[in-house]
C-alpha cells in the first residue's frame, strides 16, 4: 500500500464523549483509547496525514442541531470553545495534534459535511480513508457513507470505534461493510496485513477506458 495516498481520520474523541462522568459519554469509547493511540502513532510513522475532526458548539447555541438543542441547553451548554472538564472539548494525550497533523471542526455528524476535509484530501492525493473515533452509528457511519459518495475507499478500524452497546456496534459495522467499506482491526492495520485495493481508482480507469459505452 502507498501510505502517502491514505489518511487517518479520528472523530470526536473529546472528554464530553469519552469521560464516564459525562452524560454524553459513549459507553465503550474510553476502552478504545489505547488502540486509537497505537494506530495514530503508526499512521504518523508511515507519513500518513492524520486528521482530528471534532465538534465544538458556539456558546449561544446558534450551530447546535435542532434535535439536540434542548438537551444541549439543559445539559450545561457542553462542547463550548475553550471548555474544560467533563463536558469539554479537551482530549486525552493520545489525541493531541502534533506537527503535520490536521485539526478540523465539523458542524454536524459527518466529517465531510461543510468542512474542508474533502478539499485537503484531494489536494494531498489521498484515495483511501481510515476511520476511527466515536460514535459508530452517528459520526463514523455518516462519514463512511459521505466518503464513499465522494469516491474514496473507506476502511473502518472496528476496535478504534465505539457505540453504547455491542449490538449497535455490530449491526452498524455490518451495514457499512455491505455498502462497500472495509472493516478491519487495529492489529491488522498495525501489521499492514490486508489488501490495499484502490477500488474507486480502478472504476474510474475502467469508465474512462470504455469509450464505446453509450452516454
Amino acid at each position: 500500500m502507498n501510505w502517502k495516498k491514505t489518511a487517518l481520520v479520528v472523530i470526536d474523541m473529546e472528554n464530553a464523549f469519552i469521560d464516564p462522568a459525562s452524560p454524553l459519554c459513549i459507553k465503550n469509547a474510553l476502552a478504545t483509547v489505547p488502540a486509537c493511540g497505537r494506530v495514530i502513532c503508526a499512521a504518523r510513522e508511515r507519513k500518513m496525514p492524520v486528521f482530528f475532526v471534532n465538534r465544538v458548539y458556539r456558546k449561544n447555541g446558534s450551530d447546535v442541531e435542532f434535535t439536540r438543542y434542548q438537551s444541549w441547553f439543559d445539559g450545561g451548554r457542553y462542547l463550548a470553545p475553550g471548555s474544560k472538564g467533563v463536558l469539554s472539548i479537551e482530549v486525552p494525550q493520545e489525541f493531541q495534534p502534533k506537527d503535520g497533523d490536521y485539526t478540523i471542526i465539523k458542524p454536524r455528524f459527518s466529517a465531510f459535511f461543510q468542512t474542508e476535509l474533502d478539499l485537503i484530501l484531494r489536494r494531498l492525493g489521498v484515495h483511501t480513508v481510515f476511520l476511527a473515533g466515536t460514535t459508530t452509528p452517528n459520526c463514523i457511519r455518516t462519514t463512511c457513507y459521505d466518503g464513499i459518495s465522494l469516491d474514496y475507499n473507506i476502511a473502518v478500524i472496528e476496535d478504534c470505534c465505539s457505540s453504547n452497546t455491542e449490538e449497535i456496534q455490530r449491526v452498524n459495522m455490518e451495514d457499512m461493510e455491505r455498502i462497500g467499506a472495509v472493516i478491519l482491526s487495529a492489529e491488522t492495520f498495525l501489521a499492514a496485513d490486508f489488501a490495499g485495493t484502490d477500488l474507486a481508482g480502478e472504476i474510474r480507469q475502467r469508465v474512462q477506458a470504455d469509450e464505446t459505452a453509450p452516454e
Side-chain angles (χ1 to χ4, degrees):
M1 175 170 287
N2 182 353
W3 294 107
K4 292 183 179 180
K5 298 295 184 180
T6 69
L8 174 65
V9 175
V10 184
I11 301 174
D12 282 350
M13 293 299 283
E14 302 164 280
N15 274 3
F17 297 121
I18 65 177
D19 191 322
S22 168
L24 304 176
C25 179
I26 305 305
K27 183 178 179 181
N28 296 312
L30 186 61
T32 68
V33 170
C36 285
R38 293 192 294 272
V39 164
I40 291 166
C41 287
R44 289 173 176 148
E45 290 173 0
R46 293 170 183 169
K47 307 301 181 184
M48 293 172 60
V50 176
F51 291 79
F52 294 100
V53 186
N54 294 326
R55 181 68 64 87
V56 180
Y57 288 132
R58 296 180 186 276
K59 292 182 179 180
N60 66 0
S62 58
D63 56 352
V64 178
E65 298 96 324
F66 75 90
T67 54
R68 280 185 169 176
Y69 182 85
Q70 196 59 49
S71 65
W72 171 85
F73 186 83
D74 295 339
R77 303 189 182 213
Y78 46 78
L79 294 171
S83 54
K84 307 289 183 182
V86 171
L87 290 170
S88 75
I89 62 172
E90 291 183 306
V91 298
Q93 181 178 356
E94 289 85 349
F95 308 101
Q96 293 285 349
K98 293 187 177 181
D99 290 346
D101 295 341
Y102 295 84
T103 300
I104 291 176
I105 303 303
K106 61 184 176 67
R108 290 293 182 263
F109 300 109
S110 171
F112 286 104
F113 182 77
Q114 294 189 5
T115 73
E116 64 270 40
L117 179 60
D118 180 46
L119 183 153
I120 297 174
L121 291 175
R122 293 187 189 280
R123 183 66 60 85
L124 295 174
V126 168
H127 59 58
T128 298
V129 176
F130 292 85
L131 299 180
T134 199
T135 168
T136 300
N138 295 339
C139 302
I140 299 299
R141 181 167 173 154
T142 55
T143 301
C144 168
Y145 279 60
D146 281 354
I148 290 173
S149 297
L150 290 165
D151 280 350
Y152 291 100
N153 306 296
I154 298 295
V156 182
I157 307 176
E158 185 171 10
D159 50 339
C160 287
C161 300
S162 52
S163 304
N164 275 318
T165 70
E166 292 182 3
E167 180 67 4
I168 292 173
Q169 182 81 347
R170 181 186 66 80
V171 298
N172 278 276
M173 289 294 169
E174 289 179 356
D175 278 349
M176 288 188 285
E177 186 171 33
R178 276 192 289 268
I179 204 66
V182 174
I183 309 299
L184 71 158
S185 68
E187 290 306 314
T188 298
F189 176 87
L190 294 173
D193 186 21
F194 57 94
T197 302
D198 180 13
L199 179 60
E202 291 176 3
I203 297 300
R204 282 193 293 271
Q205 290 179 3
R206 286 176 59 184
V207 171
Q208 291 167 2
D210 194 359
E211 299 177 353
T212 63
E215 292 293 334

